[in-house]
Amino acid sequence: MQRKRKLVGVALGSGGMRGMAHIGILQVLEEANIPIDFVSGASVGAFVGAAYAAEMDLYALGRFATGLRKRDVLDPANPFRAGLFSGKKFQKLCETVTDNRSFSETCVPFWCSAVDIETGETRYLHEGKLSEAVRASIAIPALLHPFTIDGVTYIDGGTVESVPVDILRENGADVVIGVDLSISAPYAPKRPKAFTVAFRSVDIMRAAIDRLKPFGADVLIRPDVSFMGRIVPHDAAECIAIGRAAASEALPEIRRVLAQ
């Protein structure tokens, strides 16, 4: 009797523009014929995961990401209310990479995490327009305006859970490959800027949360993307290459787990 194949889920973590590494990781998994049956994403992980679920070619996505400039992503809010940037440009990008599809039109089941700003609870969005769910998931506090769907206002999905693993297990994944973009290395800038301090604070907070609730992935890929900033889309090509290298290094462990 032929052995039943294990179902594989890929959980893509938050991390701002460092998430371009997700593109390289998915490219390598596809090239290696690693099956991907489910995908989840938080923040930028939701952006890349939604593009994958909407069947955007990963190499075209890489070229798209490499061509992005600051003016393509950031649109200052006027007047400033709940964030420095309105997020409208980013939502347009989401519509582009998802072909304006809905969750019902994806090639694999996809979940997008976002945090209910009123209750503080993580919700896993799985209905409606992909672009709207991703825009909710990527609403970085104080940076992008929160986003409201069906009367619920959301902020960044990585605020509480940076790598959404559990939702994949709950929906049938036998094996989960997680991608963690958090930076744990010491950081001592000579002239720290406001954004740098804010994001470094988030890194410290998430590291503390992760120690309390470790990731439950069977294989955890951690590309070293500490060189890249979170909000300005530069060095995307190098980030993608580092993602590819990290995924290639993880392939023997992934194959071992799948063979068990």
Side-chain angles (χ1 to χ4, degrees):
M1 181 182 295
Q2 187 176 7
R3 184 178 179 184
K4 184 180 178 181
R5 180 177 70 78
K6 292 182 178 179
L7 298 178
V8 180
V10 177
L12 303 175
S14 60
M17 286 300 165
R18 294 168 180 166
M20 299 305 101
H22 290 317
I23 300 171
I25 288 168
L26 290 174
Q27 287 175 350
V28 169
L29 294 181
E30 276 205 340
E31 292 165 6
N33 294 316
I34 301 299
I36 300 177
D37 302 290
F38 312 96
V39 177
S40 64
S43 197
V44 70
F47 178 79
V48 177
Y52 177 83
E55 300 181 274
M56 183 171 187
D57 179 83
L58 290 170
Y59 305 95
L61 181 60
R63 293 190 294 272
F64 178 82
T66 302
L68 288 177
R69 298 294 179 263
K70 185 176 180 179
R71 64 179 178 273
D72 301 320
V73 179
L74 301 177
D75 45 354
N78 186 19
F80 168 74
R81 293 198 305 267
L84 292 176
F85 305 101
S86 75
K88 292 179 181 178
K89 282 190 175 182
F90 204 95
Q91 188 173 350
K92 287 292 184 183
L93 294 179
C94 295
E95 292 173 0
T96 298
V97 302
T98 62
D99 194 26
N100 208 25
R101 292 192 189 186
S102 299
F103 280 88
S104 61
E105 300 172 293
T106 58
C107 63
V108 294
F110 171 66
W111 289 267
C112 175
S113 69
V115 175
D116 182 332
I117 196 170
E118 182 177 349
T119 66
E121 296 177 351
T122 297
R123 297 197 184 193
Y124 299 97
L125 306 178
H126 191 58
E127 296 179 344
K129 287 290 186 182
L130 288 167
S131 59
E132 292 186 358
V134 173
R135 172 62 183 84
S137 181
I138 211 157
I140 303 169
L143 190 66
L144 292 182
H145 280 189
F147 194 76
T148 301
I149 301 175
D150 295 333
V152 180
T153 300
Y154 295 101
I155 56 173
D156 194 298
T159 306
V160 174
E161 180 186 36
S162 57
V163 184
V165 167
D166 292 347
I167 188 65
L168 298 179
R169 292 212 188 278
E170 292 168 7
N171 285 277
D174 301 307
V175 172
V176 177
I177 301 167
V179 183
D180 176 25
L181 302 177
S182 61
I183 306 301
S184 58
Y187 177 75
K190 293 181 180 179
R191 295 179 180 178
K193 298 180 180 179
F195 281 151
T196 305
V197 172
F199 284 126
R200 181 56 181 164
S201 300
V202 171
D203 283 337
I204 294 169
M205 176 188 70
R206 285 178 178 161
I209 292 173
D210 294 341
R211 284 194 294 271
L212 293 173
K213 184 188 176 184
F215 302 121
D218 298 283
V219 179
L220 189 62
I221 301 175
R222 281 189 163 122
D224 183 3
V225 287
S226 56
F227 71 94
M228 188 168 181
R230 285 180 178 267
I231 61 171
V232 179
H234 62 78
D235 295 329
E238 184 176 354
C239 203
I240 291 169
I242 288 174
R244 289 185 59 88
S248 296
E249 185 177 346
L251 281 177
E253 177 67 7
I254 293 171
R255 292 193 172 109
R256 184 190 68 78
V257 171
L258 290 176
Q260 289 179 341

